[in-house]
Amino acid sequence: MAGRVAVVVVVLLTAIAIWQTRGTGPDLSRVAVVRSPEGIMGTTCTLVAVVPRGREAHAQRGLDAAEQALREVDALMSTYLESSEISAVNRAAADELVSVSEELASVLVYSRDVWRASDGAFDATCRPMIELWRRAGREGSLPADAEMDAARESSSWKDFELLDNGVRKAKDTARLDLGGVAKGFGIDRAFEAIRAAGCDGVLVDVGGDVRVDGVDARGEAWKITVRNPFGPKPLAAFGLAAGSVCTSGDYERFVEIDGVRHSHIIDPRTGRPAGSVPSVTVVATDAMTADAWATALGVLGAEGLDRLPTGVEALLVEGDERSCRMITNREMERRLGEFGKPPCSE
């Protein structure tokens, strides 16, 4: 579940930078201020603030606050940082109360809610399973059934007590991983920081997962394309004036053992890799919702569409490069009406 690769591609970012520096385009009253900070959640990051000319300083302050927000979320929720709050919870012994920030507490409550709504397909407590399969990839050997079962039994939501003043575990082995939701939460925090600067347009892109609002430098809706997991032709393209787009895919990150590729997305209900959905794209109002449900649908497949919250859109690709099909819910089908439904492979 954690560490999934985001494969939504936001187009025209290079052109946005050109409009900013050259002052070209049909609407010269706006300028896009672009920043690409490094070291954000271990992936690429692009922040864009579109403002009337002469208000570039306001945009820069918004970008400063957005970058700081992303780094703060990473410092709280990254399992790669020993100093993070989530690492402190994972290290804690049974019955030890670990104080956590309001931000982490809210993400844990939300994660538990999505776990319930997804019938366990999204499970932030599956850290032992993730560690087991990462080790299997390094060693080039499949874990034994007993190891997978043990990893699945070693950590679950019944082992965590979420309190007003912290988190308490029922057993030492219980551990958390927020790789399927922390990025979305960070994107939302950064988005709000830029929007608070009074911008006409906002874009936050972290590893290909995005949230946008308003207009680009030309005064148009942001252009989004969805990458084809099997070929160069885009799966879909659409304009987005407000909302978030997140994608979960297993075709760029996987474990290969004895010549067989295994998805890096783990089905927390079985402790084994999920393998039926090469790509899932979700459109939602906020990035945390899109992030979590892209992960959940990567496990559930098309049967999970009925579980989506009201207003959330989804596009799934099932099959492989030889035979695949696109599946959408009604909301996404309406969005893609003008673009049509191209074949998922050429």
Side-chain angles (χ1 to χ4, degrees), residues 126-134 151-152 155 266-268 271:
C126 74
R127 178 72 183 178
M129 306 178 213
I130 294 170
E131 293 172 342
L132 176 65
W133 279 95
R134 285 179 180 171
R152 184 166 56 89
S155 181
I266 304 300
D267 184 340

Side-chain angles (χ1 to χ4, degrees), residues 33-312:
V33 182
V34 183
R35 183 179 301 181
S36 298
E38 297 181 352
I40 300 292
M41 299 184 174
T43 188
T44 59
C45 178
T46 300
L47 308 173
V48 182
V50 179
V51 292
R53 288 190 177 276
R55 291 182 60 87
E56 289 87 346
H58 291 79
Q60 292 291 358
R61 285 195 288 271
L63 297 181
D64 288 343
E67 181 177 346
Q68 180 180 349
L70 286 167
R71 296 191 188 280
E72 288 175 352
V73 171
D74 206 18
L76 291 174
M77 303 183 193
S78 172
T79 55
Y80 292 98
L81 299 176
E82 289 295 320
S83 59
S84 70
E85 287 188 357
I86 201 71
S87 292
V89 173
N90 287 343
R91 286 192 305 268
D95 297 323
E96 177 184 348
L97 179 64
V98 181
S99 297
V100 299
S101 62
E102 182 179 340
E103 290 83 0
L104 179 56
S106 67
V107 171
L108 291 178
V109 170
Y110 178 81
S111 297
R112 187 176 59 184
D113 290 344
V114 178
W115 167 71
R116 290 169 175 156
S118 67
D119 194 27
F122 178 90
D123 191 348
T125 72
C126 74
R127 178 72 183 178
M129 306 178 213
I130 294 170
E131 293 172 342
L132 176 65
W133 279 95
R134 285 179 180 171
R135 186 172 71 247
R138 291 192 301 269
E139 297 175 353
S141 177
L142 285 174
D145 288 348
E147 291 179 295
M148 288 185 277
D149 292 341
R152 184 166 56 89
E153 294 297 326
S154 65
S155 181
S156 68
W157 276 112
K158 72 177 184 293
D159 302 317
F160 287 90
E161 187 178 9
L162 306 183
L163 304 169
D164 292 339
N165 58 341
V167 178
R168 180 181 288 119
K169 302 192 305 187
K171 55 187 178 185
D172 298 343
T173 58
R175 296 193 295 283
L176 296 160
D177 192 299
L178 298 175
V181 69
K183 187 197 294 185
F185 178 78
I187 289 172
D188 289 335
R189 286 277 313 276
F191 171 87
E192 295 296 342
I194 299 175
R195 190 166 64 174
C199 302
D200 292 345
V202 178
L203 180 143
V204 177
D205 175 350
V206 181
D209 289 344
V210 303
R211 184 172 176 181
V212 301
D213 187 49
V215 295
D216 63 17
R218 298 178 300 180
E220 299 177 355
W222 299 94
K223 305 302 188 299
I224 307 294
T225 64
V226 181
R227 181 176 170 182
N228 188 335
F230 306 125
K233 187 176 181 179
L235 277 182
F238 50 86
L240 188 64
S244 180
V245 186
C246 294
T247 296
S248 176
D250 67 359
Y251 54 89
E252 285 193 338
R253 295 190 62 187
F254 52 86
V255 172
E256 185 168 339
I257 301 174
D258 295 331
V260 179
R261 297 198 334 181
H262 301 272
S263 173
H264 73 287
I265 301 171
I266 304 300
D267 184 340
R269 301 167 301 179
T270 65
R272 290 153 175 79
S276 63
V277 188
S279 176
V280 178
T281 297
V282 172
V283 180
T285 301
D286 62 279
M288 188 159 67
T289 297
D291 195 10
W293 280 100
T295 302
L297 290 178
V299 173
L300 291 170
E303 70 180 50
L305 291 175
D306 291 339
R307 294 182 175 273
L308 288 173
T310 301
V312 175

